[in-house]
């Protein structure tokens, strides 16, 4: 019995020690947040490639991967509200940001190469811990960054968009996007293409975990390859729009759900299990063919027409 009481006593003191350490940690964080709660420096910035600094290491973009005459826009954004808008031809990429410089870091970089290709990137990230940010939010209201990105029409662009713990909206209608890669984690985004792109996309990739997204009228992008992966979250994908060519579409969901809407004016292959044996009404006029590959693991894909 004495040995059991000794073990219980040791375990009790161990738990109390952990509680004391956590209390001190939370208390000190709250005290720091209180002391800095009055230091709110809201800044409004306009960023462009012309005013950006050069970077010897371009995140997410190797020089050899950017085709001649093409620009790559890399957005690495965290903990805020972000939007992409189409802009008029003849303009440069432009970023308009409002953020608290006491809490968030905003920086951009630009690289141009002899073959007229270039890379422009923007990074936004929080500079304090999540716990500190929570206390600051409670004590002083806090301010999440708001960043609007304007992309010019008439310029071939590749996009790499990385969003963490934030909300993101993108409208790409009417732009010239050759490739687009969207990655999200602990957040969500909305993508819409309300009118056909200037040229069909070569590829569109959407992948992420612990979040969700919706994509509307992807047929207006007509990607040759569409690759969608969703982990521990949900997705709503609308494939309607003006398809101009055949496409290979890969859908992969794990521990989540995905809803996919199929347009009427295409031929579909690989979805017999979901839609039955579809028949083409007008065989004299060839329709674009969408070839599907579907993978489900502890999740479900619902497909409707």
């Amino acid at each position: 019995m004495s040995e059991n009481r000794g073990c219980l006593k040791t375990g009790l003191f161990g738990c109390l020690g952990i509680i004391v350490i956590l209390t001190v940690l939370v208390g000190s964080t709250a005290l720091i947040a209180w002391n800095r709660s009055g230091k709110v420096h809201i800044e409004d910035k306009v960023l462009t490639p012309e005013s950006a600094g050069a970077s010897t290491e371009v995140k997410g973009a190797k020089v050899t991967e950017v085709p001649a005459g093409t620009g790559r826009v890399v957005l690495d954004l965290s903990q805020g509200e972000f939007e992409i808008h189409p802009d008029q031809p003849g303009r440069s990429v432009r970023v308009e940001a409002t953020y608290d410089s006491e809490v968030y870091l905003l920086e951009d970089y630009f690289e141009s190469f002899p073959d007229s290709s270039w890379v422009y990137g923007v990074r936004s990230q929080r500079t304090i811990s999540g716990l500190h940010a929570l206390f600051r939010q409670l004590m002083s209201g806090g301010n999440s960054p708001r960043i609007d990105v304007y992309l010019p029409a008439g310029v071939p662009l590749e996009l790499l968009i990385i969003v963490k713990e934030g909300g993101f909206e993108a409208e790409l209608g009417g732009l010239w996007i050759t490739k687009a890669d969207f990655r999200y984690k602990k957040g969500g985004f909305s993508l819409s293409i309300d009118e056909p792109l200037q040229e069909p996309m070569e590829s569109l990739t959407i992948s992420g975990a612990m979040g969700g997204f919706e994509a509307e009228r992807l047929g207006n992008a007509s990607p040759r390859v569409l690759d969608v992966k969703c982990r521990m979250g949900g997705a709503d994908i609308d494939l309607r729009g003006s398809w101009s060519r055949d496409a290979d579409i890969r859908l992969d969901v794990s521990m989540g759900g995905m809803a996919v809407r199929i347009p009427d004016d295409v031929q579909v292959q690989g979805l017999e299990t979901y839609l039955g044996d579809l028949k083409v009404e007008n065989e004299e006029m060839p329709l674009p063919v969408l070839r599907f590959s579907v993978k489900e693991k502890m999740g479900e894909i619902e497909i409707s027409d």
Side-chain angles (χ1 to χ4, degrees):
M1 285 298 274
S2 61
E3 290 182 1
N4 290 337
R5 285 198 298 270
C7 292
L8 179 61
K9 188 175 181 180
T10 301
L12 179 60
F13 279 113
C15 290
L16 287 175
I18 293 174
I19 293 173
V20 170
I21 292 173
L22 290 176
T23 301
V24 171
L25 177 61
V26 173
S28 60
T29 302
L31 181 60
I32 294 172
W34 174 264
N35 290 333
R36 298 186 61 184
S37 61
K39 299 179 181 179
V40 178
H41 292 149
I42 303 300
E43 292 192 21
D44 294 317
K45 277 189 176 181
V46 177
L47 308 177
T48 64
E50 292 78 11
S51 61
S55 173
T56 56
E57 295 184 2
V58 180
K59 184 174 182 179
K62 296 180 181 178
V63 174
T64 56
E65 292 181 346
V66 185
T70 300
R72 171 173 286 185
V73 177
V74 182
L75 305 178
D76 187 356
L77 309 171
S78 304
Q79 299 103 13
E81 299 179 13
F82 317 106
E83 288 193 25
I84 284 184
H85 313 269
D87 204 353
Q88 298 178 7
R91 294 187 175 182
S92 178
V93 179
R94 187 174 82 260
V95 177
E96 297 180 358
T98 300
Y99 68 105
D100 183 354
S101 59
E102 286 287 321
V103 180
Y104 297 94
L105 171 67
L106 176 65
E107 58 182 356
D108 62 348
Y109 56 89
F110 178 73
E111 289 280 342
S112 60
F113 310 111
D115 61 359
S116 298
S117 62
W118 51 269
V119 177
Y120 178 60
V122 178
R123 300 189 185 100
S124 171
Q125 62 183 20
R126 193 170 55 205
T127 57
I128 60 177
S129 68
L131 184 60
H132 187 175
L134 175 61
F135 279 115
R136 185 181 176 90
Q137 180 81 23
L138 294 174
M139 294 174 182
S140 61
N143 291 276
S144 297
R146 165 75 188 214
I147 297 177
D148 291 274
V149 181
Y150 296 86
L151 301 178
V155 179
L157 299 173
E158 293 184 357
L159 301 181
L160 172 57
I161 315 295
I162 303 170
V163 181
K164 298 183 286 285
E165 300 179 27
F168 183 80
E169 295 183 14
E171 168 56 51
L172 303 181
L175 296 177
W176 186 355
I177 309 297
T178 60
K179 293 182 180 180
D181 185 351
F182 291 86
R183 307 175 190 177
Y184 67 92
K185 184 176 182 181
K186 296 182 182 179
F189 74 91
S190 172
L191 168 64
S192 60
I193 305 174
D194 288 341
E195 60 179 289
L197 301 182
Q198 293 185 20
E199 296 288 342
M201 268 192 197
E202 186 63 23
S203 65
L204 171 59
T205 302
I206 302 173
S207 61
M210 302 177 68
F213 73 91
E214 60 179 6
E216 298 182 354
R217 303 192 67 80
L218 296 186
N220 285 333
S222 295
R224 186 181 62 81
V225 176
L226 172 61
D227 197 346
V228 181
K229 296 181 180 179
C230 180
R231 300 285 185 273
M232 293 185 288
D236 191 352
I237 304 170
D238 174 12
L239 295 177
R240 292 176 300 170
S242 181
W243 283 93
S244 60
R245 63 177 175 185
D246 299 350
D248 293 311
I249 301 176
R250 298 188 287 264
L251 306 175
D252 186 347
V253 63
S254 176
M255 300 179 67
M258 186 181 295
V260 182
R261 185 168 183 176
I262 306 296
D264 297 327
D265 52 351
V266 297
Q267 296 187 55
V268 177
Q269 297 178 0
L271 294 181
E272 291 77 13
T273 303
Y274 298 87
L275 297 177
D277 199 6
L278 298 179
K279 297 185 181 297
V280 180
E281 295 182 0
N282 186 359
E283 297 183 359
E284 296 181 359
M285 182 178 295
L287 298 176
V289 179
L290 306 186
R291 296 178 288 266
F292 284 83
S293 173
V294 178
K295 182 178 180 181
E296 300 168 312
K297 183 178 180 182
M298 299 179 65
E300 183 179 5
I301 297 178
E302 296 183 358
I303 298 178
S304 60
D305 52 8

